[in-house]
Structures are given as structure tokens and as C-alpha cells.
Amino acid sequence: MSTLAPLRDASARLAALEREAAHQEHLSAGDGRSWVGERDGEHPVVIVGAGQAGLVLARGLRARGIDDVVVLDAAPADATGPWTTYARMHTLRTPKDIAWPTWGVPAESPRAWFEAVYGEAAWDEIAFFPTVAWQGFLQWYRTVAGVEVVGSTTVTRITATDADGPLRLQLDGPDGSWVLLARHVVLATGIEGAGGRHLPALLAGLPAERVHHTHDAIDFPALAGKRVGILGAGTGAFDNAATALEHGAAAVDVHMRRPAMPQVSPYRWMEFAGLIENYGSLTDAQKWTFNVHLSAVDQPATQNAIWRAHAFDEFRFLTSSPWHGAEWDGDDIVVTTPHGIHRYDVVIAATGIVADLASRPELSTVAPDATLWADRLTPAQAAESPGLAAFPYLDDDFGLVSRSAPEHSALSRIHMFNHGARISQGMLSHQIPGLVGGATKLAAALSRRLFTRDADALMAEYLAYDVPVGVHIGRRPAPADVPG
């Protein structure tokens, strides 16, 4: 569809949808009893990150009677996730009809919201969810699901007092610094949550103001009239190329080291319930083989992103074109490739992320004791893919595993519900296609572990329970006379 405009009665339709959501929740919520809460200043669960994964998990915990969940995000509450920053695509990369965890309330699904705002006919016309609409859905979802977000707040450090004590979160926010205590911490911090942006070493000698990563806040209007070279050819490369050209860049080249764009996307095969729900049951050897193959095969850039860039005559896509060198000669960035020299004013690295727990401020204290996949592989296996070997090795609850005390450590209560779960729990576990499996699994794990911690107190409460239900012995009383 060429344009996407809300229906004139969208507000009324959304209000009706919210009433239906409340009705469905009453139908499916059971007694709604909240059974675990703050204890001595310690919150049962703190979720760091209020994007799609954090919001869905918080909603799922509430459905399980765990209401005292604190949700934090470094961004303002209305700008969480990548959708208003570096996600420069026009549509999501995930098909529109992917499953979504509704926790028994289908009215809170993306499709229900979209049809309420834009209409059923508009839903039939799209193949992928528009990015702007997705951000709108998530903001609505946060409100209708009753998830309160503490925004503009950064976790600067997580420390463990001891194996059984609370986790301490050092926070920085608009009102200064303070400490929050938690039994469990979930890091729903997206693709950079286990490391950071990868900038190839060959770019290190270039003027910093002329080098960007696709995840950076790039001043695209400032690229008007500039020659731009992009290293890497994933979807982000084409989206950034198109964005630069839409802002008047003189020329943009995307360089790909492969001889041709991949034509097979393993992710489409991966999007079925059997794998999403059961990936964790694979052996370590199977998980390693799975991810090495995924890295080798990769996936093509999305068709829409490719067409968007190729709409400009000033765009070039160069294959078999790895960068052997990049130097600043005082006027230009001079890039050397197997096919010659290219000169640019600005370069953008579409080179993804690296796993490096120690580089994350919130994990810097615990990272030295966290097991990595390299610790569970042979040297030959680790050498096969050093980047994958640097990922954290997680337990079945998405928790970090301690090197020094693998059976009993507070690290197991730090759960990586982000890209760090890629090898241990599945590439899709925290992403849109995998939230049904990943969020359901993690919510159940947190419920189980909190119940285990409180089992003695709950048993004592059960044994002391003496509230009569009001049973009367004898014949049923006659109904009161009803006035004629």
C-alpha cells in the first residue's frame, strides 16, 4: 500500500478494543492473585529494557501473579527500542502474521491493534508491519498492558552481594544516582546487550567525525552532497544508503565481500513453534553447529531495502569488494578493494555487533566470572568462529553461568534476554518471531524460581489458612419473596 493513514474513527475503535481486552483478561485471568512481592526492599524481578521483549515479559509475569516488576530503560518511556533511532527501515523484516504472545488476551495482539487503527482492508494489503506503526503498537501495548516504565534511567553496574543475597543495581537517572535491589535481573537490552558495535580495525585511523556505525545517531542532512561508502551489505546497509540518498547524498556505494547476495534466509525456516519452543533442548554440539552454519550462510537483505536504495541512480552495489585498507589523505577517505580505489567523504560500517560482556558497564563486575562458549569448546572449535565463541554460555533459564561456582551463584539470577542468548537459547528467543517461545519460557522459569525461594513461607501460609467458605448444613433456604 502506498500510504498508511489511521481511520477517522480510529480513536473510538481503539477504545472499543481496549474494552474487549479488559473483558478477555477477566475471562482468562483466574483469581488474579498476586503471590510474590517486595521483600526487605528487594524486588522479585527488575527488567532492564522496555522494548518489545521487556514489555512482553513484564506482561507475562503479571499474568502469572508476579506484579511487583520494575521495568527500566535508558531511553524516555515513549522512545524505547530501536524504532525511533537506528531502525531506519520502512517496514519490519518479520512477516506481519508472525505469532505474538497474548497471554490469553488476543485483543492485545499487533493485528488487533493494526486493524483497529488502520482497518481490516489495510491489514490485507501489507506483507510486513510498517516500522512507524510497530512503534505505535508498542506504545499502546505498554499502556493497555499496564506496564509502567522508569525511563531515562541507566543501569551502570550490577553486583552480587553473595550467592543468596540480592543483586544490587546502581542506577543513574534524571534525579541522580541510587541503588535498586532485585532477586532476578532480566537484561532485555536488544542486539547490543552482550557487547557492542563492531568497528573494523582498518577504520581506526580515520577522522572520527567521518566514520559512523549503522547503530549511531547519524546526522543524515549533513551528508547532503557527500560521497558515502558503506562496508557491509545486510539490510541495515541498504536502509542507511537509502536514508543518505533521501537526504541528498551525492553518491553511495555498498560494498559486499561475498560474490553475490545470499538467496536463502535460514530465519524463515527457523520461524516454527517446534524450534522456537525446543531449541534449548539441543545438545551443546548441535547448538554450535547450528550457529556456525547460520553465520556462514547468513541471510539476504530484505527486498524492500534493496529496492529502496536502487531507486536512486547515485547508488551502487559492489560485490566481491572487501576493504583491504582505508586511509585519510587529508581530503578523502581512500578505500582499497580488490577492484581498485574508492574515495569517500564519509564511511558507514554496517558490520554488526560483537559479543564482549566486559564492555558492558552493567556487567563489568560479573563478566570475569561468567562462562563463555569458548570455555565449553575445544580450541579447534573456538578457532572456527571466535566471534561466536565469545558469546555467554547460559543455563536453561537464560541465566549466566559462574566459572567459580557453576552450581550455586548469583550470576544465575542475571538473565540475558537479549542477543547474548543467541547460541544458548536460540537466535529468535528475544526477537519478534521467538517471543512466544522465549518470553513464555523465561516467565515460567522466573515464576518457578521465585516459588522455590518462597516455598517455606507459602507452605506456612497454606497450613495456617482457616478462612471458612460458608457451608450451611441442611435444606437449601427458600428464595426470598419477589415483589409482583
Side-chain angles (χ1 to χ4, degrees):
M1 56 192 298
S2 56
T3 59
L4 185 68
L7 299 172
R8 280 184 286 184
D9 61 344
S11 296
R13 291 166 64 93
L14 267 183
L17 182 64
E18 290 165 12
R19 290 192 296 271
E20 177 60 21
H23 177 64
Q24 291 175 0
E25 184 167 7
H26 287 309
L27 291 176
S28 64
D31 65 4
R33 177 185 178 186
S34 178
W35 58 272
V36 61
E38 181 182 337
R39 177 193 293 180
D40 297 327
E42 176 189 288
H43 297 277
V45 181
V46 172
I47 299 174
V48 183
Q52 59 210 21
L55 293 177
V56 164
L57 179 62
R59 180 69 178 87
L61 290 172
R62 196 184 78 195
R64 284 173 162 76
I66 305 171
D67 289 338
D68 184 17
V69 177
V70 179
V71 183
L72 311 168
D73 202 286
D78 60 352
T80 59
W83 311 111
T84 60
T85 54
Y86 65 81
R88 299 181 177 109
M89 68 283 281
H90 288 167
T91 66
L92 302 188
R93 301 167 189 174
T94 306
K96 67 176 182 180
D97 54 358
I98 204 72
W100 176 261
T102 61
W103 310 112
V105 185
E108 292 179 1
S109 67
R111 178 172 181 172
W113 176 87
F114 188 95
E115 291 184 347
V117 175
Y118 300 107
E120 291 81 355
W123 177 263
D124 291 338
E125 290 179 26
I126 65 170
F128 300 91
F129 220 95
T131 302
V132 172
W134 186 252
Q135 175 69 3
F137 162 69
L138 290 177
Q139 294 307 310
W140 174 83
Y141 181 84
R142 172 172 60 88
T143 301
V144 77
V147 179
E148 295 187 12
V149 175
V150 181
S152 303
T153 300
T154 302
V155 181
T156 59
R157 180 168 297 184
I158 302 172
T159 56
T161 52
D162 56 53
D164 297 309
L167 296 165
R168 295 172 57 88
L169 287 79
Q170 183 70 42
L171 308 178
D172 278 348
D175 299 322
S177 301
W178 75 100
V179 172
L180 193 66
L181 302 181
R183 173 61 22 185
H184 293 269
V185 174
V186 177
L187 298 177
T189 42
I191 195 168
E192 294 186 27
R197 300 162 196 183
H198 173 51
L199 275 175
L202 61 83
L203 303 180
L206 302 178
E209 70 275 9
R210 293 176 178 267
V211 178
H212 305 289
H213 189 280
T214 52
H215 289 191
D216 292 344
I218 300 173
D219 182 2
F220 282 99
L223 300 184
K226 304 294 186 183
R227 301 161 298 168
V228 181
I230 299 181
L231 176 59
T235 298
F238 288 88
D239 283 327
N240 278 264
T243 304
L245 290 163
E246 289 160 2
H247 285 83
V252 179
D253 295 342
V254 165
H255 293 256
M256 185 183 205
R257 62 179 173 81
R258 296 174 187 265
M261 179 66 69
Q263 293 298 306
V264 175
S265 176
Y267 290 83
R268 297 291 83 86
W269 179 88
M270 291 161 60
E271 292 166 354
F272 68 98
L275 179 75
I276 290 171
E277 295 176 1
N278 301 303
Y279 174 93
S281 66
L282 294 175
T283 65
D284 283 359
Q286 289 171 328
K287 291 176 181 178
W288 182 250
T289 298
F290 187 101
N291 283 276
V292 169
H293 176 75
L294 180 61
S295 292
V297 174
D298 205 357
Q299 63 175 332
T302 60
Q303 184 65 74
N304 285 340
I306 293 172
W307 281 338
R308 181 183 170 196
H310 275 285
F312 293 86
D313 293 336
E314 299 84 1
F315 174 75
R316 289 194 303 172
F317 176 40
L318 307 174
T319 58
S320 298
S321 188
W323 290 10
H324 293 325
E327 299 179 350
W328 173 246
D329 70 358
D331 295 309
D332 300 328
I333 296 172
V334 182
V335 172
T336 304
T337 74
H339 305 294
I341 301 296
H342 302 268
R343 294 180 175 272
Y344 300 113
D345 300 300
V346 173
V347 295
I348 299 175
T351 46
I353 59 94
V354 291
D356 180 11
L357 295 184
S359 70
R360 299 292 305 183
E362 69 272 22
L363 292 173
S364 59
T365 300
V366 300
D369 192 36
T371 301
L372 305 180
W373 268 86
D375 300 319
R376 299 299 179 99
L377 300 169
T378 67
Q381 287 176 314
E384 186 178 19
S385 182
L388 293 181
F391 272 76
Y393 183 93
L394 307 180
D395 64 24
D396 204 40
D397 298 340
F398 292 81
L400 294 172
V401 176
S402 166
R403 286 189 175 112
S404 60
E407 300 302 323
H408 187 60
S409 169
L411 267 65
S412 73
R413 292 186 276 114
I414 301 175
H415 308 266
M416 303 288 287
F417 198 43
N418 55 34
H419 193 65
R422 167 179 175 169
I423 306 179
S424 299
Q425 290 300 327
M427 188 69 183
L428 301 178
S429 58
H430 66 290
Q431 297 172 336
I432 297 170
L435 283 176
V436 168
T440 301
K441 180 176 183 177
L442 182 52
L446 292 168
S447 177
R448 181 186 68 251
R449 292 183 66 169
L450 289 167
F451 185 88
T452 300
R453 180 199 66 170
D454 292 348
D456 289 341
L458 289 167
M459 181 63 73
E461 180 183 324
Y462 160 68
L463 294 174
Y465 184 76
D466 61 356
V467 179
V469 296
V471 174
H472 299 279
I473 304 301
R475 190 184 297 271
R476 181 192 295 271
D481 292 337
V482 180

Coordinates of all heavy atoms in Angstrom, one line a residue, residues 232-279:
G232 N 29.7 -3.5 4.3 CA 28.8 -4.5 4.7 C 27.5 -4.4 3.9 O 27.2 -3.3 3.4
A233 N 26.8 -5.5 3.7 CA 25.6 -5.5 2.8 C 24.4 -6.2 3.4 O 23.6 -6.8 2.6 CB 26.0 -6.1 1.5
G234 N 24.2 -6.0 4.7 CA 23.0 -6.5 5.2 C 21.9 -5.5 5.0 O 22.0 -4.5 4.4
T235 N 20.7 -5.8 5.6 CA 19.6 -4.9 5.4 C 19.9 -3.5 5.9 O 19.5 -2.5 5.3 CB 18.3 -5.5 6.1 OG1 18.0 -6.7 5.5 CG2 17.1 -4.5 6.0
G236 N 20.6 -3.4 7.0 CA 20.9 -2.1 7.6 C 21.8 -1.3 6.6 O 21.6 0.0 6.6
A237 N 22.6 -1.9 5.8 CA 23.4 -1.2 4.9 C 22.6 -0.5 3.8 O 22.8 0.7 3.5 CB 24.4 -2.1 4.2
F238 N 21.6 -1.2 3.3 CA 20.7 -0.7 2.3 C 19.8 0.4 2.8 O 19.5 1.4 2.2 CB 20.0 -1.8 1.6 CG 20.8 -2.7 0.7 CD1 21.5 -3.8 1.2 CD2 20.9 -2.4 -0.7 CE1 22.2 -4.6 0.4 CE2 21.7 -3.1 -1.5 CZ 22.4 -4.3 -1.0
D239 N 19.3 0.2 4.1 CA 18.5 1.2 4.7 C 19.2 2.5 4.9 O 18.7 3.6 4.7 CB 17.9 0.7 6.0 CG 16.8 -0.3 5.8 OD1 16.0 -0.2 4.8 OD2 16.6 -1.2 6.6
N240 N 20.5 2.4 5.4 CA 21.3 3.6 5.6 C 21.7 4.3 4.3 O 21.7 5.5 4.2 CB 22.5 3.2 6.4 CG 22.2 3.2 7.9 OD1 22.4 4.1 8.6 ND2 21.7 2.0 8.4
A241 N 22.0 3.4 3.3 CA 22.3 4.0 2.0 C 21.1 4.8 1.4 O 21.2 5.9 1.0 CB 22.6 2.9 1.0
A242 N 19.9 4.2 1.5 CA 18.7 4.9 1.0 C 18.4 6.2 1.8 O 18.0 7.2 1.3 CB 17.5 4.0 1.1
T243 N 18.6 6.1 3.2 CA 18.4 7.3 4.0 C 19.3 8.4 3.6 O 18.9 9.6 3.5 CB 18.5 6.9 5.5 OG1 17.6 5.8 5.8 CG2 18.2 8.1 6.4
A244 N 20.6 8.1 3.4 CA 21.6 9.1 3.0 C 21.1 9.7 1.6 O 21.2 10.9 1.5 CB 22.9 8.5 2.9
L245 N 20.7 8.9 0.7 CA 20.4 9.4 -0.6 C 19.1 10.2 -0.5 O 18.9 11.2 -1.2 CB 20.2 8.2 -1.6 CG 21.5 7.5 -2.0 CD1 21.3 6.2 -2.6 CD2 22.3 8.4 -2.9
E246 N 18.2 9.8 0.3 CA 16.9 10.6 0.5 C 17.2 12.0 1.1 O 16.4 12.9 1.0 CB 16.0 9.8 1.4 CG 15.4 8.6 0.7 CD 14.8 7.5 1.7 OE1 14.9 7.7 2.9 OE2 14.3 6.5 1.2
H247 N 18.4 12.1 1.8 CA 18.8 13.4 2.3 C 19.8 14.1 1.4 O 20.4 15.1 1.9 CB 19.3 13.2 3.7 CG 18.3 12.9 4.8 ND1 17.8 11.7 5.0 CD2 17.7 13.8 5.6 CE1 16.9 11.7 6.0 NE2 16.8 13.0 6.4
G248 N 19.9 13.7 0.2 CA 20.7 14.4 -0.8 C 22.2 14.0 -0.9 O 22.9 14.8 -1.5
A249 N 22.6 12.8 -0.4 CA 23.9 12.4 -0.6 C 24.3 12.4 -2.1 O 23.4 12.0 -3.0 CB 24.2 11.0 0.0
A250 N 25.5 12.7 -2.5 CA 25.9 12.8 -3.9 C 26.0 11.4 -4.5 O 25.6 11.2 -5.7 CB 27.2 13.5 -4.1
A251 N 26.5 10.4 -3.7 CA 26.7 9.1 -4.2 C 26.9 8.2 -3.0 O 27.5 8.6 -2.0 CB 27.9 9.0 -5.1
V252 N 26.3 7.0 -3.1 CA 26.5 6.0 -2.0 C 26.8 4.6 -2.6 O 26.1 4.2 -3.6 CB 25.2 5.8 -1.2 CG1 25.4 4.8 -0.1 CG2 24.8 7.2 -0.5
D253 N 27.9 4.0 -2.1 CA 28.3 2.7 -2.5 C 28.2 1.7 -1.4 O 28.6 2.0 -0.3 CB 29.8 2.6 -3.0 CG 30.1 3.5 -4.2 OD1 29.1 3.8 -5.0 OD2 31.2 3.8 -4.5
V254 N 27.6 0.6 -1.6 CA 27.5 -0.5 -0.6 C 28.5 -1.6 -1.1 O 28.4 -2.1 -2.2 CB 26.1 -1.1 -0.4 CG1 26.1 -2.4 0.3 CG2 25.2 -0.1 0.3
H255 N 29.5 -2.0 -0.2 CA 30.5 -3.0 -0.6 C 30.2 -4.3 0.1 O 30.0 -4.3 1.4 CB 31.9 -2.5 -0.1 CG 32.4 -1.3 -0.9 ND1 33.3 -1.4 -1.9 CD2 32.0 0.0 -0.8 CE1 33.6 -0.2 -2.4 NE2 32.8 0.7 -1.7
M256 N 30.2 -5.3 -0.6 CA 29.9 -6.7 -0.1 C 31.1 -7.6 -0.4 O 31.6 -7.6 -1.5 CB 28.6 -7.3 -0.7 CG 28.2 -8.6 -0.2 SD 26.7 -9.2 -1.0 CE 26.0 -10.3 0.2
R257 N 31.6 -8.3 0.7 CA 32.7 -9.2 0.4 C 32.3 -10.4 -0.3 O 33.2 -11.0 -1.0 CB 33.4 -9.6 1.8 CG 32.5 -10.3 2.7 CD 33.2 -10.7 4.0 NE 32.3 -11.3 5.0 CZ 31.9 -12.6 5.0 NH1 32.4 -13.4 4.0 NH2 31.1 -13.0 5.9
R258 N 31.1 -10.9 -0.2 CA 30.6 -12.1 -0.9 C 30.5 -11.8 -2.4 O 30.3 -10.6 -2.8 CB 29.3 -12.5 -0.4 CG 29.3 -13.0 1.0 CD 27.9 -13.3 1.5 NE 27.8 -13.6 2.9 CZ 27.8 -14.8 3.4 NH1 27.9 -15.8 2.6 NH2 27.7 -15.0 4.7
P259 N 30.6 -12.8 -3.3 CA 30.4 -12.6 -4.7 C 29.0 -12.3 -5.1 O 28.8 -11.7 -6.2 CB 30.9 -13.9 -5.3 CG 30.7 -14.9 -4.3 CD 31.0 -14.2 -3.0
A260 N 28.0 -12.6 -4.3 CA 26.6 -12.4 -4.6 C 25.8 -12.3 -3.4 O 26.2 -12.9 -2.3 CB 26.1 -13.4 -5.6
M261 N 24.7 -11.7 -3.5 CA 23.7 -11.6 -2.3 C 23.2 -13.0 -2.0 O 22.8 -13.7 -3.0 CB 22.6 -10.7 -2.7 CG 21.5 -10.5 -1.6 SD 22.2 -9.7 -0.1 CE 22.4 -8.0 -0.6
P262 N 23.2 -13.4 -0.8 CA 22.6 -14.7 -0.5 C 21.1 -14.8 -0.9 O 20.5 -13.8 -0.9 CB 22.7 -14.8 1.1 CG 23.8 -13.9 1.4 CD 23.8 -12.8 0.4
Q263 N 20.7 -15.9 -1.3 CA 19.3 -16.1 -1.8 C 18.4 -16.9 -0.8 O 17.2 -17.0 -1.0 CB 19.3 -16.8 -3.2 CG 19.9 -15.9 -4.2 CD 19.2 -14.6 -4.4 OE1 18.0 -14.6 -4.7 NE2 19.9 -13.5 -4.4
V264 N 19.0 -17.5 0.2 CA 18.3 -18.3 1.2 C 18.4 -17.6 2.5 O 19.4 -17.2 3.0 CB 18.9 -19.7 1.2 CG1 18.2 -20.5 2.3 CG2 18.8 -20.4 -0.1
S265 N 17.2 -17.5 3.2 CA 17.2 -17.0 4.5 C 16.9 -18.1 5.5 O 15.7 -18.5 5.6 CB 16.2 -15.9 4.7 OG 16.1 -15.4 6.0
P266 N 17.9 -18.6 6.3 CA 17.6 -19.6 7.3 C 16.6 -19.2 8.3 O 15.9 -20.0 9.0 CB 19.0 -19.8 7.9 CG 20.0 -19.3 7.0 CD 19.3 -18.2 6.3
Y267 N 16.4 -17.9 8.5 CA 15.5 -17.4 9.5 C 14.1 -17.8 9.2 O 13.2 -18.0 10.1 CB 15.6 -15.8 9.7 CG 16.9 -15.4 10.3 CD1 18.1 -15.3 9.6 CD2 16.9 -15.1 11.7 CE1 19.2 -14.9 10.1 CE2 18.1 -14.7 12.3 CZ 19.3 -14.6 11.5 OH 20.4 -14.2 12.1
R268 N 13.7 -17.8 7.9 CA 12.4 -18.2 7.5 C 12.1 -19.6 7.9 O 11.0 -20.0 8.3 CB 12.2 -18.0 6.0 CG 12.3 -16.6 5.5 CD 11.1 -15.7 6.0 NE 11.3 -15.2 7.4 CZ 12.0 -14.0 7.6 NH1 12.6 -13.3 6.7 NH2 12.1 -13.6 8.9
W269 N 13.1 -20.5 7.8 CA 13.0 -21.9 8.2 C 12.8 -22.0 9.7 O 12.1 -22.8 10.3 CB 14.2 -22.7 7.8 CG 14.1 -24.1 8.2 CD1 13.5 -25.2 7.6 CD2 14.6 -24.7 9.5 NE1 13.6 -26.3 8.3 CE2 14.3 -26.1 9.5 CE3 15.2 -24.2 10.6 CZ2 14.6 -26.9 10.5 CZ3 15.6 -25.0 11.7 CH2 15.2 -26.4 11.6
M270 N 13.5 -21.1 10.5 CA 13.6 -21.1 11.9 C 12.3 -20.7 12.6 O 12.0 -21.0 13.8 CB 14.7 -20.2 12.4 CG 16.1 -20.7 12.1 SD 17.3 -19.4 12.2 CE 17.2 -18.9 13.9
E271 N 11.4 -20.1 11.9 CA 10.2 -19.5 12.5 C 9.0 -20.5 12.6 O 7.9 -20.3 12.1 CB 9.8 -18.2 11.7 CG 10.8 -17.1 11.8 CD 10.6 -16.0 10.8 OE1 9.7 -16.2 9.9 OE2 11.3 -15.0 10.9
F272 N 9.3 -21.6 13.3 CA 8.2 -22.5 13.6 C 8.3 -22.9 15.1 O 9.3 -22.9 15.7 CB 8.2 -23.7 12.7 CG 9.4 -24.7 12.9 CD1 9.3 -25.8 13.6 CD2 10.6 -24.4 12.3 CE1 10.3 -26.7 13.8 CE2 11.7 -25.3 12.4 CZ 11.6 -26.4 13.2
A273 N 7.1 -23.2 15.6 CA 7.0 -23.4 17.1 C 7.9 -24.5 17.6 O 8.5 -24.4 18.7 CB 5.5 -23.7 17.4
G274 N 8.1 -25.6 16.8 CA 8.9 -26.7 17.3 C 10.3 -26.2 17.7 O 10.8 -26.6 18.7
L275 N 10.9 -25.5 16.8 CA 12.3 -25.0 17.1 C 12.3 -23.9 18.1 O 13.1 -23.9 19.1 CB 12.9 -24.5 15.8 CG 14.4 -23.9 16.0 CD1 15.3 -25.1 16.2 CD2 14.8 -23.0 14.9
I276 N 11.4 -22.9 18.0 CA 11.4 -21.8 18.9 C 11.2 -22.3 20.4 O 11.8 -21.8 21.3 CB 10.3 -20.8 18.5 CG1 10.7 -20.1 17.2 CG2 10.1 -19.8 19.6 CD1 9.6 -19.3 16.6
E277 N 10.3 -23.2 20.5 CA 10.0 -23.7 21.9 C 11.0 -24.7 22.4 O 11.1 -24.9 23.6 CB 8.6 -24.3 21.9 CG 7.5 -23.3 21.6 CD 6.1 -23.9 21.6 OE1 6.0 -25.1 21.8 OE2 5.1 -23.2 21.3
N278 N 11.7 -25.4 21.5 CA 12.5 -26.5 22.0 C 14.0 -26.4 21.6 O 14.8 -27.3 21.9 CB 12.0 -27.8 21.4 CG 10.6 -28.1 21.8 OD1 10.2 -28.2 22.9 ND2 9.7 -28.2 20.8
Y279 N 14.4 -25.3 21.1 CA 15.8 -25.1 20.7 C 16.7 -25.4 21.9 O 17.8 -26.0 21.8 CB 16.1 -23.7 20.3 CG 17.5 -23.3 20.0 CD1 18.1 -23.5 18.7 CD2 18.3 -22.9 21.0 CE1 19.4 -23.2 18.5 CE2 19.7 -22.6 20.8 CZ 20.2 -22.8 19.6 OH 21.6 -22.5 19.4

